[in-house]
Amino acid sequence: AGGIRAQYRITMILVPIAAIGIALAYQSVVDRKRWWLAALFTALCVVENFESLGTVDRIYVEQHVASIVQKVDPSSKAFFLVGTNKDVRWVADDAAWVTLATGIPTINGRYGNFPSGYDLKEYAYGMYNDKNLSRKEAKLNMEEALQCWLDTHGIKREDVQCIEYETLEKITLKPYRND
């Protein structure tokens, strides 16, 4: 977290410096009466303002997370989310949101990397769809990898809930307009 904050702080210092540098460069172009370059520069600034970032429907995502929260056993000490469909990009985000909502830690939230050497990422991110294994074989392999990781950390399997769920197939980014 300190590294993330440091990068933000440095960036916030550099933005005004960059703005001043761009303004001085523009002024230099105008002073030298290079109107075509000034016009090109102005056009680039205008075109850049048409760029818009997408947004996600907050209510839709909140409802999705709430549906996962209902599956979490409050007596479990941790949980592990497993996406069962093809679009599993949001598994780590879902796990992190569910942890915030329940206060129960997850094994696969967005905290960096999955534990190395245990193939847990493969299973959390829809291994059922990527391999030529039956669902039963895939589940047995996942349980074996999870148990191996839990044994390494001295955690009992009954303390960790494994939640299979259908991830959001597609989150449509809507253009954000500040109208």
Side-chain angles (χ1 to χ4, degrees):
I4 292 170
R5 285 192 297 269
Q7 180 183 359
Y8 174 76
R9 290 177 183 143
I10 291 170
T11 303
M12 291 310 296
I13 291 169
L14 294 177
V15 167
I17 294 169
I20 291 169
I22 291 170
L24 290 172
Y26 186 76
Q27 186 63 48
S28 173
V29 167
V30 170
D31 289 345
R32 293 180 185 177
K33 300 195 188 306
R34 294 189 178 169
W35 301 114
W36 65 272
L37 193 55
L40 177 66
F41 192 75
T42 302
L44 288 173
C45 289
V46 169
V47 169
E48 186 273 332
N49 281 300
F50 289 111
E51 175 75 21
S52 103
L53 299 175
T55 61
V56 176
D57 186 349
R58 179 180 60 90
I59 295 170
Y60 181 63
V61 173
E62 284 175 355
Q63 290 171 346
H64 174 68
V65 170
S67 72
I68 304 168
V69 167
Q70 292 174 352
K71 297 177 182 183
V72 177
D73 180 5
S75 66
S76 64
K77 294 183 180 172
F79 66 90
F80 181 66
L81 286 185
V82 179
T84 58
N85 52 336
K86 291 202 184 283
D87 191 358
V88 290
R89 296 173 289 165
W90 310 107
V91 171
D93 293 334
D94 289 342
W97 284 113
V98 171
T99 291
L100 287 173
T102 62
I104 298 172
T106 181
I107 292 175
N108 60 333
R110 183 153 315 272
Y111 51 79
N113 294 319
F114 276 83
S116 60
Y118 297 98
D119 294 332
L120 291 176
K121 185 175 186 176
E122 252 184 60
Y123 299 106
Y125 285 108
M127 197 272 325
Y128 299 128
N129 299 307
D130 296 339
K131 304 259 186 216
N132 291 325
L133 297 174
S134 70
R135 193 171 181 85
K136 185 176 181 179
E137 290 172 322
K139 187 167 177 120
L140 285 172
N141 288 347
M142 185 217 41
E143 282 292 336
E144 184 180 315
L146 181 59
Q147 186 62 54
C148 187
W149 184 84
L150 293 172
D151 289 345
T152 302
H153 293 84
I155 301 169
K156 296 178 187 169
R157 175 61 181 96
E158 57 269 9
D159 291 338
V160 177
Q161 181 184 8
C162 186
I163 302 170
E164 292 185 15
Y165 79 110
E166 205 160 307
T167 61
L168 289 174
E169 285 289 333
K170 184 178 181 184
I171 296 180
T172 306
L173 291 177
K174 298 184 283 184
Y176 174 75
R177 297 282 182 218
N178 194 6
D179 297 331

